[in-house]
PDB file of all heavy atoms in Angstrom:
ATOM      1  N   LEU A  41     -39.933   4.311 -20.829  1.00 96.00           N
ATOM      2  CA  LEU A  41     -40.298   5.702 -21.101  1.00 96.00           C
ATOM      3  C   LEU A  41     -41.088   5.756 -22.397  1.00 96.00           C
ATOM      4  O   LEU A  41     -40.686   5.168 -23.399  1.00 96.00           O
ATOM      5  CB  LEU A  41     -39.051   6.579 -21.215  1.00 96.00           C
ATOM      6  CG  LEU A  41     -38.151   6.622 -19.991  1.00 96.00           C
ATOM      7  CD1 LEU A  41     -36.882   7.394 -20.300  1.00 96.00           C
ATOM      8  CD2 LEU A  41     -38.886   7.242 -18.812  1.00 96.00           C
ATOM      9  N   GLY A  42     -42.209   6.460 -22.391  1.00 96.00           N
ATOM     10  CA  GLY A  42     -43.033   6.552 -23.592  1.00 96.00           C
ATOM     11  C   GLY A  42     -43.639   5.214 -23.963  1.00 96.00           C
ATOM     12  O   GLY A  42     -43.519   4.744 -25.088  1.00 96.00           O
ATOM     13  N   ALA A  43     -44.318   4.586 -23.014  1.00 96.00           N
ATOM     14  CA  ALA A  43     -44.842   3.225 -23.202  1.00 96.00           C
ATOM     15  C   ALA A  43     -45.988   3.138 -24.206  1.00 96.00           C
ATOM     16  O   ALA A  43     -46.246   2.064 -24.738  1.00 96.00           O
ATOM     17  CB  ALA A  43     -45.287   2.653 -21.860  1.00 96.00           C
ATOM     18  N   GLY A  44     -46.681   4.218 -24.456  1.00 96.00           N
ATOM     19  CA  GLY A  44     -47.796   4.187 -25.408  1.00 96.00           C
ATOM     20  C   GLY A  44     -48.874   3.224 -24.952  1.00 96.00           C
ATOM     21  O   GLY A  44     -49.480   3.394 -23.909  1.00 96.00           O
ATOM     22  N   THR A  45     -49.101   2.177 -25.715  1.00 96.00           N
ATOM     23  CA  THR A  45     -50.133   1.189 -25.379  1.00 96.00           C
ATOM     24  C   THR A  45     -49.687   0.235 -24.279  1.00 96.00           C
ATOM     25  O   THR A  45     -50.496  -0.509 -23.744  1.00 96.00           O
ATOM     26  CB  THR A  45     -50.514   0.358 -26.614  1.00 96.00           C
ATOM     27  OG1 THR A  45     -49.353  -0.334 -27.072  1.00 96.00           O
ATOM     28  CG2 THR A  45     -51.077   1.234 -27.718  1.00 96.00           C
ATOM     29  N   GLY A  46     -48.392   0.218 -23.975  1.00 96.00           N
ATOM     30  CA  GLY A  46     -47.876  -0.635 -22.913  1.00 96.00           C
ATOM     31  C   GLY A  46     -47.489  -2.031 -23.363  1.00 96.00           C
ATOM     32  O   GLY A  46     -47.177  -2.890 -22.544  1.00 96.00           O
ATOM     33  N   LEU A  47     -47.474  -2.273 -24.674  1.00 95.00           N
ATOM     34  CA  LEU A  47     -47.210  -3.619 -25.184  1.00 95.00           C
ATOM     35  C   LEU A  47     -45.873  -4.181 -24.697  1.00 95.00           C
ATOM     36  O   LEU A  47     -45.820  -5.296 -24.180  1.00 95.00           O
ATOM     37  CB  LEU A  47     -47.255  -3.632 -26.719  1.00 95.00           C
ATOM     38  CG  LEU A  47     -46.955  -4.980 -27.375  1.00 95.00           C
ATOM     39  CD1 LEU A  47     -47.987  -6.024 -26.960  1.00 95.00           C
ATOM     40  CD2 LEU A  47     -46.914  -4.838 -28.881  1.00 95.00           C
ATOM     41  N   LEU A  48     -44.802  -3.418 -24.816  1.00 93.00           N
ATOM     42  CA  LEU A  48     -43.496  -3.904 -24.390  1.00 93.00           C
ATOM     43  C   LEU A  48     -43.474  -4.200 -22.892  1.00 93.00           C
ATOM     44  O   LEU A  48     -42.973  -5.237 -22.457  1.00 93.00           O
ATOM     45  CB  LEU A  48     -42.394  -2.911 -24.750  1.00 93.00           C
ATOM     46  CG  LEU A  48     -40.987  -3.297 -24.320  1.00 93.00           C
ATOM     47  CD1 LEU A  48     -40.570  -4.620 -24.942  1.00 93.00           C
ATOM     48  CD2 LEU A  48     -40.005  -2.201 -24.671  1.00 93.00           C
ATOM     49  N   SER A  49     -44.020  -3.308 -22.093  1.00 93.00           N
ATOM     50  CA  SER A  49     -44.058  -3.518 -20.641  1.00 93.00           C
ATOM     51  C   SER A  49     -44.852  -4.768 -20.277  1.00 93.00           C
ATOM     52  O   SER A  49     -44.453  -5.534 -19.404  1.00 93.00           O
ATOM     53  CB  SER A  49     -44.678  -2.303 -19.951  1.00 93.00           C
ATOM     54  OG  SER A  49     -43.825  -1.190 -20.057  1.00 93.00           O
ATOM     55  N   ILE A  50     -45.962  -4.974 -20.951  1.00 92.00           N
ATOM     56  CA  ILE A  50     -46.799  -6.152 -20.699  1.00 92.00           C
ATOM     57  C   ILE A  50     -46.050  -7.425 -21.079  1.00 92.00           C
ATOM     58  O   ILE A  50     -46.064  -8.418 -20.346  1.00 92.00           O
ATOM     59  CB  ILE A  50     -48.143  -6.036 -21.446  1.00 92.00           C
ATOM     60  CG1 ILE A  50     -48.975  -4.906 -20.826  1.00 92.00           C
ATOM     61  CG2 ILE A  50     -48.909  -7.359 -21.433  1.00 92.00           C
ATOM     62  CD1 ILE A  50     -50.151  -4.459 -21.668  1.00 92.00           C
ATOM     63  N   ILE A  51     -45.360  -7.402 -22.212  1.00 89.00           N
ATOM     64  CA  ILE A  51     -44.583  -8.576 -22.638  1.00 89.00           C
ATOM     65  C   ILE A  51     -43.471  -8.869 -21.639  1.00 89.00           C
ATOM     66  O   ILE A  51     -43.257 -10.025 -21.260  1.00 89.00           O
ATOM     67  CB  ILE A  51     -44.014  -8.363 -24.054  1.00 89.00           C
ATOM     68  CG1 ILE A  51     -45.140  -8.393 -25.084  1.00 89.00           C
ATOM     69  CG2 ILE A  51     -42.947  -9.409 -24.382  1.00 89.00           C
ATOM     70  CD1 ILE A  51     -44.725  -7.982 -26.480  1.00 89.00           C
ATOM     71  N   LEU A  52     -42.764  -7.839 -21.187  1.00 86.00           N
ATOM     72  CA  LEU A  52     -41.693  -8.057 -20.213  1.00 86.00           C
ATOM     73  C   LEU A  52     -42.232  -8.637 -18.909  1.00 86.00           C
ATOM     74  O   LEU A  52     -41.621  -9.524 -18.325  1.00 86.00           O
ATOM     75  CB  LEU A  52     -40.948  -6.753 -19.950  1.00 86.00           C
ATOM     76  CG  LEU A  52     -40.063  -6.268 -21.097  1.00 86.00           C
ATOM     77  CD1 LEU A  52     -39.536  -4.865 -20.806  1.00 86.00           C
ATOM     78  CD2 LEU A  52     -38.925  -7.231 -21.361  1.00 86.00           C
ATOM     79  N   ALA A  53     -43.360  -8.153 -18.454  1.00 85.00           N
ATOM     80  CA  ALA A  53     -43.962  -8.688 -17.230  1.00 85.00           C
ATOM     81  C   ALA A  53     -44.455 -10.114 -17.458  1.00 85.00           C
ATOM     82  O   ALA A  53     -44.378 -10.951 -16.560  1.00 85.00           O
ATOM     83  CB  ALA A  53     -45.104  -7.805 -16.766  1.00 85.00           C
ATOM     84  N   ALA A  54     -44.953 -10.400 -18.672  1.00 83.00           N
ATOM     85  CA  ALA A  54     -45.420 -11.755 -18.975  1.00 83.00           C
ATOM     86  C   ALA A  54     -44.256 -12.739 -18.995  1.00 83.00           C
ATOM     87  O   ALA A  54     -44.371 -13.861 -18.512  1.00 83.00           O
ATOM     88  CB  ALA A  54     -46.149 -11.772 -20.316  1.00 83.00           C
ATOM     89  N   LEU A  55     -43.121 -12.314 -19.526  1.00 78.00           N
ATOM     90  CA  LEU A  55     -41.950 -13.181 -19.559  1.00 78.00           C
ATOM     91  C   LEU A  55     -41.304 -13.297 -18.185  1.00 78.00           C
ATOM     92  O   LEU A  55     -40.775 -14.339 -17.827  1.00 78.00           O
ATOM     93  CB  LEU A  55     -40.922 -12.656 -20.562  1.00 78.00           C
ATOM     94  CG  LEU A  55     -41.328 -12.700 -22.028  1.00 78.00           C
ATOM     95  CD1 LEU A  55     -40.273 -12.023 -22.886  1.00 78.00           C
ATOM     96  CD2 LEU A  55     -41.543 -14.133 -22.472  1.00 78.00           C
ATOM     97  N   GLY A  56     -41.308 -12.195 -17.460  1.00 70.00           N
ATOM     98  CA  GLY A  56     -40.698 -12.194 -16.135  1.00 70.00           C
ATOM     99  C   GLY A  56     -39.187 -12.200 -16.166  1.00 70.00           C
ATOM    100  O   GLY A  56     -38.534 -12.212 -15.139  1.00 70.00           O
ATOM    101  N   ILE A  57     -38.616 -12.223 -17.375  1.00 60.00           N
ATOM    102  CA  ILE A  57     -37.167 -12.231 -17.513  1.00 60.00           C
ATOM    103  C   ILE A  57     -36.766 -11.331 -18.670  1.00 60.00           C
ATOM    104  O   ILE A  57     -37.566 -11.022 -19.539  1.00 60.00           O
ATOM    105  CB  ILE A  57     -36.610 -13.649 -17.782  1.00 60.00           C
ATOM    106  CG1 ILE A  57     -37.223 -14.218 -19.055  1.00 60.00           C
ATOM    107  CG2 ILE A  57     -36.808 -14.570 -16.604  1.00 60.00           C
ATOM    108  CD1 ILE A  57     -36.583 -15.511 -19.523  1.00 60.00           C
ATOM    109  N   PHE A  58     -35.536 -10.917 -18.674  1.00 55.00           N
ATOM    110  CA  PHE A  58     -34.984 -10.255 -19.840  1.00 55.00           C
ATOM    111  C   PHE A  58     -33.507 -10.575 -19.930  1.00 55.00           C
ATOM    112  O   PHE A  58     -32.898 -11.055 -18.980  1.00 55.00           O
ATOM    113  CB  PHE A  58     -35.254  -8.748 -19.822  1.00 55.00           C
ATOM    114  CG  PHE A  58     -34.594  -7.985 -18.716  1.00 55.00           C
ATOM    115  CD1 PHE A  58     -33.457  -7.243 -18.961  1.00 55.00           C
ATOM    116  CD2 PHE A  58     -35.112  -8.002 -17.433  1.00 55.00           C
ATOM    117  CE1 PHE A  58     -32.850  -6.536 -17.945  1.00 55.00           C
ATOM    118  CE2 PHE A  58     -34.506  -7.288 -16.409  1.00 55.00           C
ATOM    119  CZ  PHE A  58     -33.371  -6.554 -16.672  1.00 55.00           C
ATOM    120  N   LEU A  59     -32.936 -10.365 -21.096  1.00 53.00           N
ATOM    121  CA  LEU A  59     -31.570 -10.781 -21.356  1.00 53.00           C
ATOM    122  C   LEU A  59     -30.655  -9.568 -21.466  1.00 53.00           C
ATOM    123  O   LEU A  59     -30.946  -8.635 -22.191  1.00 53.00           O
ATOM    124  CB  LEU A  59     -31.524 -11.590 -22.655  1.00 53.00           C
ATOM    125  CG  LEU A  59     -30.197 -12.161 -23.109  1.00 53.00           C
ATOM    126  CD1 LEU A  59     -29.707 -13.198 -22.087  1.00 53.00           C
ATOM    127  CD2 LEU A  59     -30.345 -12.823 -24.467  1.00 53.00           C
ATOM    128  N   ALA A  60     -29.558  -9.579 -20.734  1.00 50.00           N
ATOM    129  CA  ALA A  60     -28.561  -8.518 -20.833  1.00 50.00           C
ATOM    130  C   ALA A  60     -27.186  -9.147 -20.731  1.00 50.00           C
ATOM    131  O   ALA A  60     -26.900  -9.870 -19.781  1.00 50.00           O
ATOM    132  CB  ALA A  60     -28.753  -7.490 -19.724  1.00 50.00           C
ATOM    133  N   ASN A  61     -26.354  -8.890 -21.703  1.00 51.00           N
ATOM    134  CA  ASN A  61     -24.992  -9.437 -21.713  1.00 51.00           C
ATOM    135  C   ASN A  61     -24.969 -10.946 -21.498  1.00 51.00           C
ATOM    136  O   ASN A  61     -24.193 -11.461 -20.703  1.00 51.00           O
ATOM    137  CB  ASN A  61     -24.109  -8.740 -20.681  1.00 51.00           C
ATOM    138  CG  ASN A  61     -23.836  -7.308 -21.039  1.00 51.00           C
ATOM    139  OD1 ASN A  61     -24.100  -6.885 -22.161  1.00 51.00           O
ATOM    140  ND2 ASN A  61     -23.325  -6.554 -20.107  1.00 51.00           N
ATOM    141  N   ASN A  62     -25.848 -11.639 -22.186  1.00 53.00           N
ATOM    142  CA  ASN A  62     -25.917 -13.105 -22.141  1.00 53.00           C
ATOM    143  C   ASN A  62     -26.291 -13.673 -20.774  1.00 53.00           C
ATOM    144  O   ASN A  62     -26.020 -14.830 -20.491  1.00 53.00           O
ATOM    145  CB  ASN A  62     -24.600 -13.730 -22.616  1.00 53.00           C
ATOM    146  CG  ASN A  62     -24.301 -13.365 -24.046  1.00 53.00           C
ATOM    147  OD1 ASN A  62     -25.204 -13.296 -24.869  1.00 53.00           O
ATOM    148  ND2 ASN A  62     -23.051 -13.108 -24.341  1.00 53.00           N
ATOM    149  N   ALA A  63     -26.882 -12.885 -19.910  1.00 57.00           N
ATOM    150  CA  ALA A  63     -27.320 -13.389 -18.605  1.00 57.00           C
ATOM    151  C   ALA A  63     -28.812 -13.099 -18.460  1.00 57.00           C
ATOM    152  O   ALA A  63     -29.263 -11.997 -18.733  1.00 57.00           O
ATOM    153  CB  ALA A  63     -26.554 -12.696 -17.480  1.00 57.00           C
ATOM    154  N   TYR A  64     -29.572 -14.102 -18.067  1.00 58.00           N
ATOM    155  CA  TYR A  64     -30.997 -13.892 -17.836  1.00 58.00           C
ATOM    156  C   TYR A  64     -31.189 -13.224 -16.488  1.00 58.00           C
ATOM    157  O   TYR A  64     -30.664 -13.658 -15.477  1.00 58.00           O
ATOM    158  CB  TYR A  64     -31.764 -15.218 -17.875  1.00 58.00           C
ATOM    159  CG  TYR A  64     -31.909 -15.736 -19.273  1.00 58.00           C
ATOM    160  CD1 TYR A  64     -31.057 -16.710 -19.760  1.00 58.00           C
ATOM    161  CD2 TYR A  64     -32.884 -15.219 -20.099  1.00 58.00           C
ATOM    162  CE1 TYR A  64     -31.184 -17.177 -21.057  1.00 58.00           C
ATOM    163  CE2 TYR A  64     -33.024 -15.670 -21.396  1.00 58.00           C
ATOM    164  CZ  TYR A  64     -32.172 -16.646 -21.868  1.00 58.00           C
ATOM    165  OH  TYR A  64     -32.294 -17.101 -23.146  1.00 58.00           O
ATOM    166  N   LEU A  65     -31.954 -12.147 -16.489  1.00 59.00           N
ATOM    167  CA  LEU A  65     -32.200 -11.378 -15.274  1.00 59.00           C
ATOM    168  C   LEU A  65     -33.693 -11.401 -14.980  1.00 59.00           C
ATOM    169  O   LEU A  65     -34.503 -11.226 -15.875  1.00 59.00           O
ATOM    170  CB  LEU A  65     -31.731  -9.934 -15.470  1.00 59.00           C
ATOM    171  CG  LEU A  65     -30.303  -9.762 -15.999  1.00 59.00           C
ATOM    172  CD1 LEU A  65     -30.021  -8.303 -16.285  1.00 59.00           C
ATOM    173  CD2 LEU A  65     -29.310 -10.317 -15.018  1.00 59.00           C
ATOM    174  N   THR A  66     -34.039 -11.619 -13.760  1.00 62.00           N
ATOM    175  CA  THR A  66     -35.457 -11.631 -13.406  1.00 62.00           C
ATOM    176  C   THR A  66     -35.930 -10.208 -13.140  1.00 62.00           C
ATOM    177  O   THR A  66     -35.181  -9.361 -12.708  1.00 62.00           O
ATOM    178  CB  THR A  66     -35.711 -12.488 -12.159  1.00 62.00           C
ATOM    179  OG1 THR A  66     -34.988 -11.940 -11.069  1.00 62.00           O
ATOM    180  CG2 THR A  66     -35.301 -13.919 -12.392  1.00 62.00           C
ATOM    181  N   SER A  67     -37.176  -9.973 -13.416  1.00 61.00           N
ATOM    182  CA  SER A  67     -37.748  -8.661 -13.160  1.00 61.00           C
ATOM    183  C   SER A  67     -39.071  -8.835 -12.436  1.00 61.00           C
ATOM    184  O   SER A  67     -39.974  -9.489 -12.936  1.00 61.00           O
ATOM    185  CB  SER A  67     -37.982  -7.906 -14.461  1.00 61.00           C
ATOM    186  OG  SER A  67     -38.663  -6.715 -14.189  1.00 61.00           O
TER     187      SER A  67
END
Side-chain angles (χ1 to χ4, degrees):
L41 300 173
T45 61
L47 178 62
L48 178 59
S49 292
I50 292 165
I51 290 171
L52 288 172
L55 293 174
I57 59 171
F58 65 102
L59 182 64
N61 292 347
N62 298 322
Y64 286 99
L65 309 174
T66 61
S67 174

